[in-house]
Amino acid sequence: MKKTRYTAIYNRKNQLNTQGKALIQIECYLNGKNKYFSTQIYIEPKHWNNKTRTIKTDLPNAIKLNKQIAETLRDLENFELDKINKGKHFDLAMLTDFLKGDIVSSFTEFMELEIEKMNLTESTKKNHRSTLTKLKDFKKVIYFEDITFELLNDFDCFLRKIKIPVKDAPPKKLMQNTIWKYFKNFKTYVNLAINLDLMDVQQYPFRKFKVKTGDSKKVFLSPNEIEDFENVELAGEN
């Protein structure tokens, strides 16, 4: 099966706008057919390097704009490869829906959308958002194919190195039960992605990777301490 060729091209219509600039597009070529997508980036001809197909670094924000184009190229290619690896049909028309946002490109994007869609209490959503934040701190974008036993193990090591600042005390490491909760939430969305056919069940990494809960030490108040709380006199806004 042939694979699509993705290329950044500049000024395809050989025509400048009133500001003397032209559009950078993404050209997708497969089986003799082309499809073009706008990057919404317009530059002057002097700022385009036709050999490397990138924006020259003398243009302000060139690094940021080149990164934006490179990420779009990568997202398109990853979307196609995901279809091919799963033995599914792929054609250029699918890329339109993908770029419109009707199809998620990464696991982190998928998780972010699903947290808001799921019927959860606000406190539970807050807990799940915290897990997503930690995942993004670990790796800004996680693609579905990235989720392997090795990634879970690396994320576990990352969490164990985190230190939480504590007022008037040395920083504390995350508790074992907190780490377990992060993986529990992570696993929820991996299972959902598999059920929605966004991941191959054979890719399921939690089959081998396990995180145990820690021993919780519960301290109970004495009757005298409870009585002290009951007798506290509150004043003003307290």
Side-chain angles (χ1 to χ4, degrees):
M1 181 178 180
K2 291 186 178 180
K3 184 184 166 301
T4 305
R5 183 185 69 213
Y6 300 97
T7 313
I9 62 170
Y10 174 69
N11 197 8
R12 177 170 63 94
K13 296 183 179 180
N14 198 27
Q15 183 178 354
L16 303 179
N17 61 18
T18 56
Q19 295 176 318
K21 298 179 179 181
L23 177 66
I24 298 174
Q25 294 175 289
I26 303 297
E27 179 185 62
C28 310
Y29 177 84
L30 178 65
N31 296 328
K33 295 182 180 180
N34 289 337
K35 199 167 187 64
Y36 298 91
F37 296 101
S38 171
T39 64
Q40 304 297 323
I41 299 172
Y42 289 83
I43 62 171
E44 297 176 31
K46 65 180 180 180
H47 293 307
W48 180 251
N49 187 326
N50 197 50
K51 185 176 181 180
T52 62
R53 298 188 180 276
T54 58
I55 300 170
K56 295 179 181 177
T57 54
D58 57 351
L59 178 71
N61 280 337
I63 294 175
K64 181 180 178 181
L65 294 174
N66 280 327
K67 182 180 179 183
Q68 179 182 324
I69 295 169
E71 287 178 349
T72 303
L73 290 167
R74 179 188 173 185
D75 288 345
L76 288 168
E77 189 165 18
N78 280 339
F79 172 70
E80 178 185 5
L81 289 174
D82 183 60
K83 293 289 183 184
I84 293 173
N85 291 336
K86 291 179 179 178
K88 294 184 177 181
H89 170 71
F90 170 81
D91 59 58
L92 294 180
M94 293 179 176
L95 298 176
T96 302
D97 289 337
F98 171 70
L99 286 181
K100 280 167 56 180
D102 294 341
I103 303 173
V104 293
S105 62
S106 67
F107 175 81
T108 38
E109 180 188 359
F110 165 75
M111 185 172 172
E112 186 171 8
L113 293 172
E114 290 300 324
I115 287 173
E116 305 310 319
K117 287 164 57 177
M118 291 183 75
N119 185 23
L120 304 170
T121 64
E122 187 54 37
S123 61
T124 302
K125 284 187 178 182
K126 185 177 180 180
N127 185 281
H128 287 206
R129 291 188 196 109
S130 177
T131 300
L132 179 59
T133 298
K134 286 294 184 290
L135 282 169
K136 287 184 174 181
D137 289 343
F138 165 65
K139 188 175 183 181
K140 186 175 180 181
V141 179
I142 297 176
Y143 293 93
F144 292 104
E145 62 268 25
D146 292 338
I147 304 175
T148 60
F149 174 87
E150 288 76 15
L151 181 131
L152 297 184
N153 191 60
D154 290 344
F155 182 50
D156 183 52
C157 293
F158 169 79
L159 292 176
R160 295 183 187 283
K161 291 179 181 178
I162 292 176
K163 291 189 177 181
I164 308 299
V166 180
K167 187 178 180 180
D168 300 327
K172 295 173 60 177
K173 290 187 176 182
L174 293 176
M175 300 292 289
Q176 178 62 31
N177 283 347
T178 302
I179 294 174
W180 174 82
K181 189 174 293 185
Y182 284 140
F183 276 101
K184 178 177 178 288
N185 295 338
F186 190 2
K187 184 177 180 180
T188 295
Y189 293 94
V190 169
N191 288 338
L192 181 59
I194 289 175
N195 290 337
L196 293 174
D197 205 23
L198 295 172
M199 287 178 62
D200 188 343
V201 68
Q202 300 302 321
Q203 185 186 339
Y204 190 59
F206 285 96
R207 187 177 293 110
K208 295 181 180 179
F209 185 87
K210 307 293 181 184
V211 176
K212 295 181 180 180
T213 57
D215 294 329
S216 297
K217 295 182 179 179
K218 297 182 179 180
V219 179
F220 298 93
L221 296 176
S222 68
N224 289 336
E225 288 171 328
I226 294 174
E227 185 177 352
D228 288 340
F229 274 110
E230 292 176 343
N231 293 331
V232 169
E233 293 185 7
L234 302 178
E237 293 184 356
N238 296 322

